[in-house]
Amino acid sequence: MRYVLRSAAAKVAAGAVGALALIPGLLLRSGAAAVGGLLRLLRLAPRTGTKWGIYFTRWSLHLANTVHTRLMAKAKKHWVADTRPDVMTDFDEPGHTRPPTTADGFGTDYFGGDLVSVFQTETEAVRDAYAAYDPPMMLAVAAEYWGLPEGLTSAAEAVRQLAVNTADKYPADAKMADLVAQVYALLHQAAQKAAEVGPLFAKVHENDLRRFEEPRPGEHMWNILQRRPDGGFDQREPSRFVAVAQDVAHVYSRYEPGHMNQVAAEYEGIPAGIENVAAAISLLQVRSNDRYPVDKAVVDAIADVHQLLMAAASAAQELMPNFRRLHAPDISRHEAPRNGEEAEGMWDV
């Protein structure tokens, strides 16, 4: 759509420039015709010698064509930029880790780096399932607004469980549990903020919702479309977001890592996992702004929830660097075993 609009603007601009350039061209051509007529009258020029005056009016065509060509080139450049993958909604396929970086000194082969975080994998399923969901009517959209806090609470429950296990079950520094708990606290704030979206939606769309909850005789006669929706929806039923997010908490509650490299993978996968959840919220925000007939106050409220989620993802970026710093001697036994793994294994307890 942006490309079509830019193309139309290019044609309008080219036409306007061509029209403006045509005015002096017509004046110059008229002058050339007058001079040519005078020369022919005095027999000082042949009859065909004054046809060059037509070139003055061709200036507008050349100028309009130049403007159109340049603007269309810019439109195509913007189209290429617009169709690049969106970092908020396009991620690697489930089952693949992000390319390891050397920014934190991890290298390309590091402790836990070849494993996939369970939290990240499960939240990828949330993101993909929600991206494929197309609510058929506004009551289904309302269910999504009401379900935001429950869905976020389910996703946050996995992070809370990781904090509890870090404190009680895993051989990890106590500071790691505090750091994970801080990430959970931000997710909890996002869930609390999300609890404001449903009531706000109900308040600003009270008249719209009353048509469903207290329909007048022949209420359908006020419908915008002639067709009527099939089936019914209750805004109090679990939303699609809730349904897919609950799986994260259920799967993670049963997950028992057998080795600390699996725990390390969880610490590293938390940021991407939160970003996956944030991508679903961002998609709801974009659709609410561009497609759904809702008040912009609802869109702004969802944006606040998304902002808190991104703050949680940013805080989670510190988990893996701190894990490596706090457990440097333990990790070095795996990444740089003394006299090989067999020898280093003599220190196993």
Side-chain angles (χ1 to χ4, degrees), residues 278-300:
I281 303 301
S282 177
L283 183 60
L284 179 60
Q285 177 194 348
V286 170
R287 289 176 174 176
S288 297
N289 186 63
D290 298 343
R291 293 172 51 184
Y292 302 152
V294 297
D295 192 276
K296 295 306 179 185
V298 178
V299 178
D300 294 339

Side-chain angles (χ1 to χ4, degrees), residues 145-156 191 194-195 236-239 241-243 245-246:
Y145 295 146
W146 286 103
L148 282 177
E150 183 178 353
L152 290 178
T153 299
S154 294
R236 296 172 183 81
E237 69 181 9
S239 70
F241 178 68
V242 170
Q246 284 177 339

Side-chain angles (χ1 to χ4, degrees), residues 4 71 83 86 97 108 111 116 151 157 189 219 246 278 288 310:
V4 171
L71 291 179
T83 53
D86 185 352
T97 57
T108 56
F111 187 70
V116 181
E157 175 61 22
Q189 290 180 23
E219 186 66 59
Q246 284 177 339
S288 297
M310 295 309 296

